Amino acid sequence: MNLLNMKQRNLRSENKKNSNLKLISSTIKNLSKKGINELTMHDVSQGAGLSQGIVNFHFKSKELLLIETLKYISNEYLDSFQRSIAKKGNDPRKKIIGIVENDFSKKICTREKIAVWFTFFSEIKYKPAYHQICKERDMYYQSLTENIFDELIKKEKVKLSKKNISRGFQALIMGLWLDQLEDPDTFNRIQAKKICFEFIKSNFPKQFKGMF
Amino acid sequence: MNLLNMKQRNLRSENKKNSNLKLISSTIKNLSKKGINELTMHDVSQGAGLSQGIVNFHFKSKELLLIETLKYISNEYLDSFQRSIAKKGNDPRKKIIGIVENDFSKKICTREKIAVWFTFFSEIKYKPAYHQICKERDMYYQSLTENIFDELIKKEKVKLSKKNISRGFQALIMGLWLDQLEDPDTFNRIQAKKICFEFIKSNFPKQFKGMF
DNA sequence: TTTCTTTGAATGAGCATTCAACCAAATTTC
DNA sequence: GAAATTTGGTTGAATGCTCATTCAAAGAAA
């Protein structure tokens, strides 16, 4: 196999990847426009600029397409999350602030993406595949924030449960995301961020004194 | 119109009410079992012990049935909520504790009911009717808890925004509800309650000192 | 006798999925 | 390196299934 051969081989597989991506993007766009109930295969292929039967060729079925879509947004979120705490050094305060900034950033906290997330959340109970993906994401997030809160607890010299703080923190964020869905006119991500910072500050008043 | 007439008229309308209730109950049960996507009219009528076409007779369409179902669980929740703060006297601490107790009571905080709630939440963006009902519920809840937190803020003599605390409180509860969906094995409503109490305590340490 | 409620078979629309035919890219052959 | 062959991706019409909705007929209540 020479270089030319490799290039040629790549071209085909790039095309395939490209179609997959187009289809997943179209799924996200259409999900956020119509919800899971009204989403049709026709919408998806149309939105990707491809023809009717193509989704079944690439993803086998509608359900598998949806699972791949959930994996996609989950990875996208994780990437962004990891980047938000990388390069913050060892200061747990900076890390936790970074997480809040990320969760309510312009890129992550859009009404469209949140709508897609909640579409999947709402099906957790009926779709084991969704359940597993969401739970994995959750556990990763949970363990990372637990470590950060553990450091904060030690520095603050206060008796708090890292598990509880961590879960409360994440629940707060999910609830505020939901508010973005319910109340997009009078409530925005800037206010949501502020509420998160206040949560942190009320638990670790010494370390965040004067901040925010 | 004499008494006999009234009784007779009531019998028929009672029957009608009864069918409606049966159908709505069946909708809730089936929604919590299969999600909105797989819910069929057949499921609903079957579950109510009635026949196929009956839903269209009573509710005109599937969509209207779903709207009535949301109204029903919304009213059920509100009733329970109101009862949770009534008869707590004037102590805002007792009121807020009552609310937490209610939101995570055996009756309200079941995985089935939460699944139904999130089914509707996830469609807020696409269904104006759902949006309005959820928002109304939310605003009522919000204004009531704002008043309670306002009292607590004054008593604590602390500078906090009643709006932010209130929204954070509600978001926290919604997030913890979602956890009941995602993580029913390792997380339960007792732990959720504890996290809420800790949230309150961290904001109003003087007033809740030694409590919980 | 009239009005209201229920039944369940029939209808037909909407939609996921299939597939034969086609096209383009990659590989092999000479 | 041109021609022939194989492999992979795409098309879109056809298929058939699932389901909401309709409605004539029947039953119950007023």
Side-chain angles (χ1 to χ4, degrees):
Chain A
M1 191 198 304
N2 59 27
L3 256 179
L4 183 62
N5 271 342
M6 279 197 65
K7 265 186 193 165
Q8 285 171 334
R9 186 162 299 164
N10 283 344
L11 178 56
R12 195 121 93 176
S13 80
E14 283 309 312
N15 280 346
K16 178 164 186 168
K17 266 188 198 168
N18 218 277
S19 288
N20 281 13
L21 195 62
K22 272 188 202 164
L23 289 167
I24 286 178
S25 299
S26 171
T27 305
I28 293 171
K29 204 178 288 173
N30 279 290
L31 263 185
S32 78
K33 220 183 287 174
K34 334 177 96 193
I36 204 165
N37 243 327
E38 325 253 283
L39 181 81
T40 68
M41 297 295 248
H42 179 254
D43 292 335
V44 173
S45 50
Q46 180 96 339
L50 294 162
S51 73
Q52 179 74 326
I54 201 70
V55 177
N56 290 282
F57 177 77
H58 284 291
F59 295 94
K60 206 78 182 150
S61 74
K62 188 182 182 185
E63 189 49 33
L64 289 172
L65 166 71
L66 286 169
I67 290 170
E68 289 308 311
T69 303
L70 175 54
K71 280 184 188 163
Y72 180 88
I73 63 166
S74 191
N75 286 332
E76 186 187 53
Y77 176 85
L78 270 182
D79 278 0
S80 182
F81 175 81
Q82 286 170 330
R83 240 176 291 124
S84 75
I85 44 174
K87 294 184 183 167
K88 294 280 171 183
N90 284 321
D91 189 341
R93 293 178 303 174
K94 282 187 185 166
K95 284 188 206 162
I96 205 75
I97 291 169
I99 289 174
V100 174
E101 299 276 7
N102 178 58
D103 279 338
F104 296 99
S105 65
K106 254 189 181 162
K107 195 187 139 215
I108 293 288
C109 182
T110 70
R111 196 161 182 243
E112 282 63 38
K113 285 190 185 164
I114 291 174
V116 173
W117 274 115
F118 275 85
T119 289
F120 286 112
F121 289 158
S122 75
E123 297 266 299
I124 277 180
K125 191 164 174 284
Y126 326 110
K127 304 275 171 69
Y130 300 179
H131 194 176
Q132 208 206 321
I133 297 165
C134 290
K135 202 167 174 184
E136 255 168 36
R137 170 193 168 278
D138 194 50
M139 281 167 66
Y140 176 81
Y141 188 107
Q142 196 72 23
S143 86
L144 248 159
T145 52
E146 266 179 29
N147 290 338
I148 296 170
F149 280 119
D150 197 36
E151 291 182 66
L152 287 170
I153 288 168
K154 277 174 191 151
K155 286 200 177 174
E156 185 86 10
K157 284 178 182 129
V158 75
K159 265 193 185 174
L160 284 172
S161 147
K162 64 177 177 178
K163 277 195 190 301
N164 282 2
I165 291 281
S166 186
R167 209 180 261 278
F169 177 70
Q170 175 159 15
L172 180 64
I173 288 166
M174 287 297 106
L176 292 169
W177 270 16
L178 183 57
D179 276 346
Q180 306 288 320
L181 265 192
E182 195 169 289
D183 208 354
D185 300 324
T186 60
F187 187 66
N188 60 44
R189 56 194 186 78
I190 310 296
Q191 290 164 280
K193 235 190 279 184
K194 197 158 188 305
I195 290 172
C196 288
F197 290 145
E198 280 168 10
F199 172 87
I200 297 165
K201 204 173 181 176
S202 75
N203 279 293
F204 307 100
K206 289 178 210 156
Q207 281 171 87
F208 292 91
K209 200 168 203 174
M211 285 174 86
F212 310 129
Chain B
M1 190 200 302
N2 59 27
L3 257 176
L4 183 62
N5 271 342
M6 280 195 64
K7 265 186 193 165
Q8 285 171 332
R9 186 161 298 161
N10 283 346
L11 179 55
R12 194 119 95 177
S13 81
E14 283 310 311
N15 281 345
K16 179 164 186 169
K17 267 188 198 167
N18 218 276
S19 288
N20 282 11
L21 196 62
K22 273 187 200 163
L23 289 167
I24 286 178
S25 300
S26 170
T27 306
I28 293 172
K29 203 177 287 172
N30 279 291
L31 263 186
S32 77
K33 220 182 286 173
K34 335 177 96 192
I36 205 166
N37 242 327
E38 325 252 285
L39 181 81
T40 67
M41 297 295 248
H42 178 255
D43 293 335
V44 172
S45 49
Q46 180 95 340
L50 294 164
S51 74
Q52 178 76 325
I54 202 69
V55 177
N56 290 283
F57 176 77
H58 284 292
F59 294 94
K60 206 78 182 148
S61 74
K62 188 182 182 185
E63 189 49 34
L64 289 172
L65 166 71
L66 287 169
I67 290 170
E68 289 308 312
T69 302
L70 175 53
K71 280 185 189 162
Y72 180 87
I73 63 166
S74 190
N75 286 333
E76 186 187 54
Y77 176 84
L78 270 182
D79 277 1
S80 182
F81 175 80
Q82 286 170 332
R83 239 175 289 123
S84 75
I85 44 174
K87 293 184 184 168
K88 294 279 170 184
N90 284 322
D91 189 342
R93 295 178 304 174
K94 283 187 184 166
K95 283 188 204 162
I96 206 74
I97 291 169
I99 289 175
V100 174
E101 298 278 7
N102 179 58
D103 279 338
F104 295 100
S105 66
K106 254 189 181 161
K107 197 187 138 214
I108 293 289
C109 182
T110 71
R111 197 161 181 243
E112 282 64 37
K113 284 190 186 166
I114 291 173
V116 173
W117 274 115
F118 276 85
T119 289
F120 285 112
F121 288 158
S122 74
E123 297 266 299
I124 277 180
K125 192 164 174 284
Y126 326 110
K127 303 277 171 70
Y130 300 179
H131 193 177
Q132 207 206 322
I133 296 165
C134 290
K135 203 167 174 184
E136 255 168 36
R137 170 192 168 279
D138 195 50
M139 281 167 68
Y140 176 81
Y141 188 107
Q142 194 74 23
S143 86
L144 248 159
T145 52
E146 265 179 31
N147 290 338
I148 296 170
F149 281 118
D150 197 37
E151 291 181 66
L152 286 170
I153 288 167
K154 277 174 192 153
K155 286 202 176 174
E156 187 85 10
K157 282 175 184 135
V158 74
K159 264 193 187 173
L160 284 171
S161 146
K162 64 177 177 178
K163 277 193 190 300
N164 281 4
I165 291 281
S166 186
R167 209 181 261 277
F169 176 70
Q170 176 158 14
L172 181 63
I173 288 167
M174 287 297 105
L176 292 169
W177 269 18
L178 183 57
D179 276 346
Q180 307 287 319
L181 265 192
E182 194 168 290
D183 207 356
D185 301 324
T186 60
F187 188 66
N188 60 44
R189 56 197 185 78
I190 310 297
Q191 290 164 280
K193 235 190 278 183
K194 195 158 188 311
I195 290 171
C196 287
F197 289 146
E198 280 168 10
F199 172 87
I200 297 166
K201 203 172 179 175
S202 74
N203 279 293
F204 306 101
K206 290 178 208 155
Q207 281 172 87
F208 291 93
K209 200 167 201 175
M211 284 174 87
F212 311 129

